[in-house]
Amino acid sequence: MSLQGKPVPYHFGEKLRTVRERKGYTLKVVAEQAGVSESLVSQIERNRVSPAIDTLLALAEVLDINLEFLFEEYRRDRPVKVIRSGERRKTEEKLVSYEELAKPSESDGEHAMESYIITIPVGEHTHRGSYGHLGREFGYIIEGKATLQYETTRYDLDSGDSISFSASSPHVLYNSGDIPLKALWVVSPPQRFS
């Protein structure tokens, strides 16, 4: 807790104390060299207060600590991920293209997913799902006409239609129209971009 009764969001005090003790520095020596009070250094080490960035930089300098070391556990994935339109990964499988919309994340565990825009030229089809795989798929037809062959049943889809299914059975998406097919596709767990 901080002095104001609010939780301190970053807990690097233990690291500062460990390094200080390994180097044989007293709280007084570190405080004097960093230009802060001994009490403040003690409170920071006990995670009672969150230091101003200039104080943290001064302590890191005195203790010769790399800032990456202090913040390494905060490099984890952020809860919101953005992929800019010009930064999407793209892949092709024969003549079918896939443009990534959401990256799979290991931290999502069993809830991991990927999504992409599939573009299928006239007369072409997807290939990878023809044997089936674990998980579920959801598709939304953006433009064109599609046919999903799922096991022995065919499902005809027009622009604006959506479909979802267990991916464990063989399935193939065909462009059954006369313009390139564009579809939004979501797969869980990830298959293509993982």
Side-chain angles (χ1 to χ4, degrees):
M1 290 286 224
S2 74
L3 295 178
Q4 294 81 21
K6 296 178 183 173
V8 175
Y10 303 110
H11 299 284
F12 37 69
E14 296 90 355
K15 289 184 177 184
L16 292 170
R17 183 175 53 243
T18 300
V19 171
R20 178 182 61 76
E21 290 173 348
R22 265 194 216 133
K23 292 183 180 260
Y25 294 167
T26 64
L27 283 170
K28 184 175 183 178
V29 166
V30 170
E32 285 176 357
Q33 289 185 19
V36 296
S37 72
E38 189 175 336
S39 171
L40 179 61
V41 175
S42 175
Q43 290 177 26
I44 292 169
E45 286 187 354
R46 290 180 289 137
N47 294 311
R48 295 284 173 97
V49 296
S50 189
I53 191 67
D54 58 338
T55 301
L56 182 62
L57 291 172
L59 292 171
E61 180 72 25
V62 169
L63 295 170
D64 194 28
I65 295 176
N66 184 328
L67 290 178
E68 289 284 318
F69 168 71
L70 283 179
F71 290 101
E72 64 190 350
E73 66 264 24
Y74 302 105
R75 297 190 73 190
R76 64 180 178 250
D77 288 337
R78 297 292 178 221
V80 175
K81 296 177 183 149
V82 175
I83 300 177
R84 303 287 177 206
S85 62
E87 299 171 357
R88 293 183 186 137
R89 291 189 293 176
K90 297 177 184 176
T91 186
E92 287 193 6
E93 183 180 77
K94 303 205 174 172
L95 298 173
V96 178
S97 71
Y98 300 83
E99 186 175 351
E100 182 179 46
L101 298 175
K103 289 183 180 181
S105 174
E106 288 183 24
S107 64
D108 291 337
E110 67 183 64
H111 303 293
M113 63 162 205
E114 65 183 351
S115 67
Y116 40 82
I117 298 288
I118 302 175
T119 303
I120 304 175
V122 175
E124 295 296 324
H125 60 86
T126 60
H127 300 272
R128 188 176 279 193
S130 59
Y131 300 105
H133 54 85
L134 291 175
R136 292 200 56 81
E137 294 192 19
F138 163 83
Y140 173 80
I141 307 305
I142 298 170
E143 60 185 41
K145 292 182 179 284
T147 298
L148 181 77
Q149 177 77 41
Y150 186 83
E151 295 178 340
T152 59
T153 306
R154 296 173 70 89
Y155 298 89
D156 292 322
L157 304 165
D158 289 316
S159 177
D161 291 346
S162 61
I163 191 165
S164 61
F165 53 91
S166 167
S168 60
S169 294
H171 52 280
V172 176
L173 186 65
Y174 293 88
N175 180 341
S176 54
D178 54 7
I179 63 170
L181 170 67
K182 276 194 181 246
L184 166 69
W185 222 256
V186 179
V187 179
S188 180
Q191 300 290 316
R192 183 160 308 279
F193 287 99
S194 56

